[in-house]
Amino acid sequence: MTMTEATGSGTGRTEGTTRSSANTAGAVTSAVTGTVPYTVPQAPVTIDPAIWPSIATVPTSLKARVAGRAADAIFKAAVRSLPLAVRYPDGTVLGKASLGQAPGGTAYPVMTINRPEAFAARLGDGGLIGLGESYMAGDWDADDLTAVMEVFAARVGTLVPEPLQKLRGLYLPRQPRKERNTEKNTRSNISRHYDLSNELFASFLDRTMTYSSALFPESGDALRTVAWDGLAAAQQAKIDRLLDKAGVKEGTRVLEIGTGWGELALRAAARGATVYSVTLSSEQQELARQRVADSGYADAVTIELKDYRAVEGEYDAVVSVEMIEAVGFEYWATYFQTIERVLAPGGKVAIQAITIAHDRLMATRTSYTWVHKYIFPGGVIPSVRAIEDITEKQTGLRVRERLAMGEHYAQTLRLWEERFMGRAEEVGAMGFDAIFQRMWLFYLCYSRAGFETGYLDVQQIVLDHASSKGAAA
């Protein structure tokens, strides 16, 4: 599928091999974590405006110029107290690094501003959208992008002075109406991410083709060094725990909302369950059906291209992995009401959901961000409180159990990041250019920083009917 930024996807897919994606800045070295084991593609000098209109041209409107000067002042004031080294072409260094080494004799992560004027203009014009776009354009680089983003993620609520935060709703864009997750729009929102290319996702996912947090057996310091060869088993462990909590066994009628590439359906079928799985991604449906057929479970698993709201029937178990984030906060009640409607008496629900603190949800739920523009249009991450409030007040479902596992997502993302960047030439040969690769790296590191700092979490949540006796086992 070929798309451009103008559609809101910003895929950077070009015909044939894109050799510019193989141009790199060399191995990126981090004084904090050692050498990052990949090279980062440089943004080309000339960027195709037909594919990347917001990246090819620096904003020059009066708004951008005025706001750029203000954003530059706010940014410099903010980073002066941060554990960073922000380096400018004239030799200026801002951040705590200007005062010496970090505690313990280590060095601070380095953010290098290559084009200060362009960086300020994009930041002023688009706020955090501009921060991501300026990285995509090569206006700034980092020795360890995740480490730099962690510094910002840990202080996201205080970087901008409070009086200016109150004005954000007047200045920053809101999500376009065409990206609200109505039944008419949702298919388009989903396809813009998941229909990019099965080959693209296969370039960084493990053999299970599972695109959600794994659950590793390791914990503590050992978790931070888990290796690629343990990822597939950790993904299956995550799935198995959800199936266990939903009570999936031989004869269980399972509804899966959000098929992915079929691994959960396969593991449920292997237990003797019958699975009805719905997705809005034609690419995922095609590959998932093929995997099901190849595994010999075609009689036990049905995968349809259907909105969750259109599901009929009755099911003993409902499972859904990191799909609620794509529902949109206006439709969370509908999502849970649908689950309640199809859940058989005595049935159980097990979902996996990325979560955010409730105060951050309330502050940002209508914001239009870089992630919306380039990665997940229409998405909103829920809070645990929002899930509990909606299910208690608007459904007959009740949350019975939760497992928080955000530190596992951080390491899942690290492994994806290393795998993706280690295959830059292969991804380029698929037609995904250097700007796309910088975009995808920013997305992976931005997300990982959220989990590393606790700004984001991921939960396995078990629910059942309020009338059910006792909590989930």
Side-chain angles (χ1 to χ4, degrees):
M1 170 172 277
T2 301
M3 294 195 251
T4 69
E5 181 199 7
T7 69
S9 63
T11 65
R13 189 81 181 267
T14 59
E15 297 301 323
T17 302
T18 306
R19 289 297 178 189
S20 64
S21 66
N23 296 331
T24 63
V28 180
T29 301
S30 167
V32 177
T33 60
T35 301
V36 175
Y38 52 75
T39 55
V40 178
Q42 293 178 329
V45 175
T46 302
I47 299 172
D48 188 344
I51 300 175
W52 301 106
S54 298
I55 310 304
T57 304
V58 177
T60 57
S61 66
L62 177 61
K63 170 194 168 184
R65 294 197 303 272
V66 173
R69 288 192 290 271
D72 185 52
I74 293 170
F75 175 79
K76 288 178 176 176
V79 299
R80 283 192 176 94
S81 62
L82 298 184
L84 275 177
V86 182
R87 302 185 183 279
Y88 284 82
D90 64 1
T92 300
V93 178
L94 299 179
K96 286 189 176 180
S98 63
L99 305 176
Q101 289 186 314
T106 60
Y108 292 106
V110 177
M111 179 180 187
T112 301
I113 310 297
N114 301 318
R115 294 187 287 270
E117 294 81 8
F119 173 73
R122 294 185 199 273
L123 202 61
D125 190 60
L128 289 178
I129 293 177
L131 180 68
E133 289 182 337
S134 60
Y135 180 80
M136 292 163 65
D139 296 336
W140 65 277
D141 280 294
D143 64 341
D144 182 333
L145 183 55
T146 298
V148 169
M149 296 308 296
E150 281 183 41
V151 173
F152 295 127
R155 300 158 179 83
V156 69
T158 58
L159 287 172
V160 176
E162 187 173 350
L164 294 178
Q165 289 188 42
K166 295 178 180 179
L167 298 176
R168 61 182 296 157
L170 300 175
Y171 177 74
L172 295 177
R174 290 178 175 249
Q175 291 193 35
R177 290 189 62 82
K178 66 180 181 180
E179 292 184 5
R180 291 183 62 194
N181 282 295
T182 62
E183 291 188 58
K184 178 181 178 181
N185 296 339
T186 299
R187 173 74 190 278
S188 172
N189 285 346
I190 293 296
S191 69
R192 280 163 51 186
H193 185 81
Y194 293 99
D195 287 346
L196 286 171
S197 159
N198 285 336
E199 293 74 20
L200 171 69
F201 287 99
S203 73
F204 68 92
L205 298 180
D206 64 86
R207 60 179 171 79
T208 69
M209 287 294 289
T210 307
Y211 188 39
S212 51
S213 178
L215 181 59
F216 297 94
E218 292 86 356
S219 60
D221 290 341
L223 179 60
R224 302 189 68 81
T225 58
V226 292
W228 175 263
D229 58 9
L231 180 57
Q235 291 289 12
Q236 292 174 332
K238 170 270 301 294
I239 291 170
D240 289 344
R241 187 181 187 279
L242 284 167
L243 295 178
D244 289 345
K245 292 298 180 181
V248 176
K249 56 185 184 298
E250 186 172 358
T252 302
R253 299 167 297 171
V254 177
L255 168 65
E256 181 186 23
I257 300 177
T259 307
W261 285 275
E263 186 70 14
L264 188 148
L266 286 171
R267 295 191 74 77
R271 296 183 176 209
T274 57
V275 183
Y276 183 71
S277 185
V278 295
T279 179
L280 289 176
S281 166
S282 55
E283 291 272 323
Q284 286 188 330
Q285 181 196 38
E286 180 181 359
L287 182 54
R289 281 180 167 178
Q290 185 61 55
R291 294 183 70 208
V292 166
D294 291 346
S295 299
Y297 291 117
D299 291 339
V301 178
T302 301
I303 300 172
E304 290 197 358
L305 206 63
K306 180 179 288 188
D307 190 285
Y308 69 92
R309 287 163 283 206
V311 171
E312 299 292 341
E314 184 178 79
Y315 303 90
D316 306 304
V318 179
V319 290
S320 186
V321 180
E322 294 180 26
M323 188 273 179
I324 190 174
E325 304 87 350
V327 168
F329 75 90
E330 308 102 318
Y331 301 98
W332 288 337
T334 302
Y335 172 79
F336 285 111
Q337 287 164 356
T338 300
I339 291 174
E340 179 189 17
R341 172 171 57 80
V342 301
L343 186 65
K348 292 183 178 180
V349 181
I351 70 171
Q352 185 164 304
I354 299 171
T355 60
I356 193 171
H358 192 68
D359 63 331
R360 296 311 304 162
L361 165 65
M362 299 308 292
T364 62
R365 64 182 183 175
T366 61
S367 299
Y368 186 60
T369 69
W370 181 89
V371 171
H372 291 126
K373 183 173 181 179
Y374 289 97
I375 307 296
F376 291 114
V380 180
I381 295 172
S383 66
V384 170
R385 177 177 163 184
I387 291 172
E388 292 178 338
D389 284 352
I390 287 168
T391 53
E392 288 180 9
K393 295 175 182 177
Q394 302 192 52
T395 78
L397 299 174
R398 295 294 181 269
V399 173
R400 303 298 190 186
E401 181 182 342
R402 294 191 291 112
L403 172 70
M405 44 190 267
E407 67 274 18
H408 292 259
Y409 217 151
Q411 300 313 310
T412 303
L413 284 157
R414 172 179 61 82
L415 294 172
W416 289 347
E417 170 196 332
E418 293 171 358
R419 184 80 162 183
F420 177 76
M421 296 309 299
R423 294 186 166 187
E425 291 194 23
E426 180 182 326
V427 171
M430 296 175 193
F432 293 96
D433 65 13
I435 303 299
F436 177 93
Q437 292 182 38
R438 289 179 69 92
M439 176 192 79
W440 207 258
L441 176 62
F442 189 84
Y443 152 56
L444 293 173
C445 293
Y446 178 95
S447 301
R448 181 179 158 201
F451 291 104
E452 289 279 15
T453 59
Y455 182 78
L456 298 176
D457 203 346
V458 63
Q459 312 258 345
Q460 287 194 349
I461 302 174
V462 182
L463 308 94
D464 62 16
H465 289 294
S467 57
S468 298
K469 293 182 179 180

